Amino acid sequence: MATAALETYLALVMSSKNEIFKSQSDFRTSIVPEFFLRLLDGYIQCKSLPFTVIGQTSIPIDIAFDLKREGLIVKKLQRVDVAVVKPVILAVDGIATTGFSIPLVAAEVKNYFDKNMISGVEFSVATLKSTFPHCAYFAISEFADFELQSNSYASSEIDEIYILRKQKRADFRKSDVAKPLDRDLIIEILNRFFVGIETHLAVHHNLKLRVPNGRLIRGNPTL
């Protein structure tokens, strides 16, 4: 039902009588992220989890320590469309930073992705995962706008690239007919968010406790 409502709303916004809403406008590009934000916030509230859902906000992806800077901490930030974070207090030498959080799951959500946009996401995610290795990161768009045959993103740090309409942007422009949003893909994305959230409820303890099972990193979720 939620996917159908989103589809109806997007069709209204994209109709010719509403051409004031360009695909690049903040309003148009905020619709799908807002959809995920509301569903994720409902999940967090329902479960009373100690996390926060944020949208179109900068999150830390890298941290440096510099004695020549006031506060000693230098944060590198990246704007993301959807993220679930854990607000924490980070202090160095008794000086606390403001507004710091640890990302659990994050996503770049666009109307379409072209090659340059995906490359930018790849670079940012690689930096983020060197600092927050357990954060899952997804790229989500309605359309694809790059040559699919000549690219493989399996080696990137992006956990998955989702094309919700299973359609290239060029094909949509030619036909002016958008394929429907894929409900199963949206459910999969939400489930992956939920799993990413739930896995952060348990603390990984001493590695010695994992040796008997033979898996030291992700194989023993209860340890």
Side-chain angles (χ1 to χ4, degrees):
M1 183 178 293
T3 302
L6 174 62
E7 185 78 80
T8 300
Y9 189 53
L10 285 170
L12 176 65
V13 171
M14 291 190 298
S15 65
S16 58
K17 66 180 180 180
N18 292 317
E19 287 183 351
I20 57 172
F21 302 122
K22 302 298 183 182
S23 62
Q24 296 87 357
S25 71
D26 287 342
F27 175 75
R28 173 64 182 87
T29 57
S30 69
I31 294 174
V32 178
E34 183 72 17
F35 171 80
F36 284 106
L37 287 169
R38 287 180 176 273
L39 292 175
L40 290 170
D41 187 61
Y43 179 81
I44 294 291
Q45 298 299 325
C46 179
K47 296 269 189 174
S48 299
L49 299 177
F51 307 128
T52 301
V53 179
I54 59 175
Q56 297 184 325
T57 305
S58 295
I59 63 172
I61 63 172
D62 195 11
I63 306 171
F65 300 93
D66 187 350
L67 286 172
K68 296 183 178 181
R69 297 286 292 270
E70 183 179 356
L72 306 179
I73 297 175
V74 181
K75 297 180 292 183
K76 181 178 182 181
L77 303 176
Q78 175 66 39
R79 188 175 177 85
V80 295
D81 297 304
V82 176
V84 179
V85 302
K86 170 68 173 178
V88 298
I89 297 175
L90 178 65
V92 176
D93 198 26
I95 302 173
T97 62
T98 58
F100 190 81
S101 61
I102 297 175
L104 286 61
V105 193
E108 196 85 0
V109 186
K110 304 298 181 189
N111 176 237
Y112 65 88
F113 278 119
D114 60 26
K115 183 178 179 180
N116 291 333
M117 294 163 72
I118 286 289
S119 296
V121 175
E122 283 186 287
F123 179 80
S124 296
V125 175
T127 302
L128 179 145
K129 289 204 173 186
S130 68
T131 309
F132 305 104
H134 295 292
C135 178
Y137 202 106
F138 307 116
I140 304 169
S141 69
E142 293 180 58
F143 303 97
D145 197 19
F146 50 87
E147 289 299 324
L148 304 178
Q149 297 89 339
S150 59
N151 295 285
S152 173
Y153 297 98
S155 62
S156 78
E157 293 290 344
I158 302 173
D159 288 273
E160 187 58 271
I161 300 173
Y162 288 100
I163 309 299
L164 298 181
R165 296 189 185 276
K166 298 182 177 179
Q167 186 176 17
K168 292 189 65 176
R169 187 167 176 243
D171 296 335
F172 166 63
R173 284 178 161 179
K174 289 178 183 177
S175 65
D176 200 31
V177 176
K179 291 184 178 179
L181 297 167
D182 190 283
R183 177 178 175 272
D184 291 337
L185 277 182
I186 289 176
I187 291 173
E188 179 181 325
I189 293 168
L190 290 170
N191 283 334
R192 293 191 70 171
F193 261 94
F194 299 157
V195 169
I197 293 168
E198 296 288 345
T199 57
H200 283 81
L201 294 174
V203 176
H204 285 191
H205 298 294
N206 194 313
L207 288 178
K208 290 181 180 180
L209 299 177
R210 305 185 207 170
V211 171
N213 287 327
R215 296 188 296 272
L216 301 185
I217 298 177
R218 296 185 177 89
N220 304 318
T222 60
L223 298 177

